[in-house]
Amino acid sequence: MNKAVTGHVLFWVLYMGIFTFVEGGYSNQFEVAFYMELGFLPFRLVVVYVNYFFLLPRFLQDRQFTNYILKTLLFVTVASFLHRAFMYFYLNDILFPNWNPGGFPRPYKLVQSAMIITSPMIFLIGIEVLLRWLDSERRAERLAGEKVKAELSYLRSQINPHFFFNTLNNLYGLALKKSDKTPEVVMKLSELMSYVLYDADKETVPLTKELDQVERYIALEQIRYENRFDVQFKTEGEVDHFPIPPLILLPFVENSFKHGVNKTTKDGRVNILVSVNDQAFEFTIRNSIPKNDSEAKKTGGLGISNVKKRLELLYGDNQQLECTEKENEYIVKLTIQRS
């Protein structure tokens, strides 16, 4: 016997037990109440399961509400009439041998039978509607989760080639100069590529691992610009155990160098502060804005746009990203609340 059949059997046993106890309590005749409930049982079973297996899936699920109501009322009326006939011609003589009920039951008795017969049907239909609603909610949540995963996967697939494109451009520039630092750049780039290829698809990585890539990227930029800028990188708090989505911080660092340092300036500045406490993670990066540099005015880009979308999908209202410009300085502050 499967779980569904067992559940239905237990329901009817419990249902009959409750009503036998309630009805028998009024007259202190529990045996009579039991046989009365037993007399109702076949009609209840027919009404409930014809409705459950035929009327409900055929009409109600297709939103044919009028057809469903009319056919249910008709079926319940016939069942009530048959039940009263059964009681009048058979069961009453057994349970109440000395009682003379008179003529065939009046209409209100049919209504009474209809209410008694349909009570378990209403209860079961309510349970069925609730279960289907819960199933619908679960499917909706699952589809929403799959949609978010698909969007995140798409955004990551855009970030990876975008990042490599910019870094390979830097490598190309050094190669043209036949720089002795080209092998070092290739080595650091390969380490970054390893991170992007093998860790970017993970939901989270340790914050320290993301910060290692930030340091590698800074080292690449120092080689590229020959230390013609000042960079400060500071961490505060317990950064060892905080999980973070991969490639969340790198686009901000890349953007900061792109718009904060150019080929002519010698006073470029990039300051990075990473802080972790019991309430939140904070990442703040500041870069100077070179004077008379039209490229520096174009903030954002594909990488930053993707990071914003990923943050919204992953953290919702638990994250805040602030981008501000003050005189000759551009500031990005990312805050992620601990859940």
Side-chain angles (χ1 to χ4, degrees):
M1 186 180 294
N2 60 39
K3 291 182 179 179
V5 174
T6 303
H8 281 264
V9 170
L10 289 175
F11 167 79
W12 287 111
V13 170
L14 182 63
Y15 191 89
M16 280 192 62
I18 291 173
F19 275 82
T20 297
F21 179 78
V22 173
E23 292 292 333
Y26 287 120
S27 60
N28 202 29
Q29 293 181 324
F30 291 98
E31 184 178 355
V32 172
F34 172 75
Y35 284 114
M36 288 286 288
E37 288 299 316
L38 205 59
F40 276 111
L41 184 61
F43 301 94
R44 283 171 169 164
L45 290 174
V46 172
V47 167
V48 165
Y49 290 110
V50 167
N51 195 287
Y52 187 83
F53 290 112
F54 177 70
L55 298 179
L56 186 64
R58 181 170 180 179
F59 297 108
L60 193 58
Q61 289 183 10
D62 294 334
R63 298 184 178 274
Q64 299 181 38
F65 299 117
T66 302
N67 274 339
Y68 173 74
I69 292 172
L70 290 176
K71 286 179 171 58
T72 299
L73 287 175
L74 177 62
F75 192 67
V76 169
T77 301
V78 172
S80 301
F81 183 86
L82 292 175
H83 172 260
R84 276 300 162 183
F86 172 71
M87 292 287 294
Y88 182 80
F89 292 109
Y90 179 71
L91 194 60
N92 281 345
D93 289 339
I94 297 175
L95 297 179
F96 311 105
N98 299 321
W99 178 52
N100 182 12
F104 195 77
R106 297 176 182 179
Y108 80 89
K109 289 289 186 180
L110 293 175
V111 174
Q112 185 184 54
S113 289
M115 294 175 66
I116 294 173
I117 289 171
T118 56
S119 59
M121 180 189 74
I122 295 170
F123 184 77
L124 284 176
I125 290 175
I127 292 177
E128 178 67 14
V129 170
L130 176 62
L131 291 176
R132 294 190 183 190
W133 177 79
L134 290 173
D135 182 63
S136 176
E137 287 293 302
R138 282 193 294 267
R139 283 189 282 110
E141 289 178 2
R142 185 171 64 252
L143 288 174
E146 290 173 356
K147 181 182 177 183
V148 169
K149 287 182 180 178
E151 290 180 13
L152 288 171
S153 178
Y154 171 71
L155 291 173
R156 281 195 294 259
S157 71
Q158 286 185 307
I159 288 176
N160 296 358
H162 172 261
F163 175 79
F164 284 135
F165 174 77
N166 289 342
T167 308
L168 287 171
N169 270 345
N170 298 344
L171 180 60
Y172 176 70
L174 290 172
L176 287 178
K177 296 177 182 179
K178 298 181 180 180
S179 172
D180 293 336
K181 296 180 179 179
T182 302
E184 183 182 352
V185 172
V186 171
M187 178 60 68
K188 292 188 180 298
L189 181 58
S190 69
E191 293 170 343
L192 282 169
M193 287 181 66
S194 176
Y195 178 70
V196 171
L197 291 173
Y198 298 111
D199 293 294
D201 287 335
K202 296 178 181 178
E203 290 187 7
T204 60
V205 295
L207 175 58
T208 50
K209 199 164 192 177
E210 179 84 355
L211 296 181
D212 286 343
Q213 313 317 310
V214 170
E215 290 181 336
R216 289 191 178 99
Y217 185 83
I218 291 173
L220 284 172
E221 292 294 72
Q222 287 175 324
I223 293 172
R224 176 189 178 192
Y225 288 108
E226 299 176 346
N227 294 317
R228 288 187 289 106
F229 62 90
D230 176 59
V231 60
Q232 294 183 9
F233 185 14
K234 184 179 179 182
T235 62
E236 295 178 351
E238 296 292 330
V239 298
D240 294 340
H241 306 295
F242 187 82
I244 194 167
L247 297 175
I248 282 288
L249 305 182
L250 270 174
F252 293 120
V253 178
E254 179 189 1
N255 189 71
S256 195
F257 277 97
K258 179 179 178 182
H259 301 294
V261 180
N262 61 25
K263 297 179 181 179
T264 59
T265 183
K266 293 184 179 180
D267 57 356
R269 175 174 46 83
V270 176
N271 294 338
I272 302 171
L273 174 62
V274 179
S275 175
V276 179
N277 55 46
D278 293 338
Q279 286 75 40
F281 158 82
E282 290 184 357
F283 172 82
T284 306
I285 184 166
R286 303 167 178 263
N287 65 266
S288 57
I289 301 176
K291 297 179 181 179
N292 302 320
D293 190 346
S294 59
E295 277 298 310
K297 303 297 182 181
K298 299 178 183 178
T299 58
L302 177 62
I304 299 300
S305 174
N306 284 352
V307 171
K308 288 180 179 179
K309 292 177 184 177
R310 288 177 67 199
L311 287 169
E312 290 171 0
L313 289 170
L314 290 167
Y315 295 104
D317 295 335
N318 289 329
Q319 59 84 27
Q320 185 177 13
L321 181 63
E322 300 175 0
C323 301
T324 56
E325 183 176 339
K326 296 181 179 179
E327 297 181 355
N328 294 323
E329 184 180 54
Y330 192 75
I331 306 169
V332 174
K333 183 176 181 180
L334 169 63
T335 303
I336 300 175
Q337 301 295 330
R338 284 184 179 270
S339 57

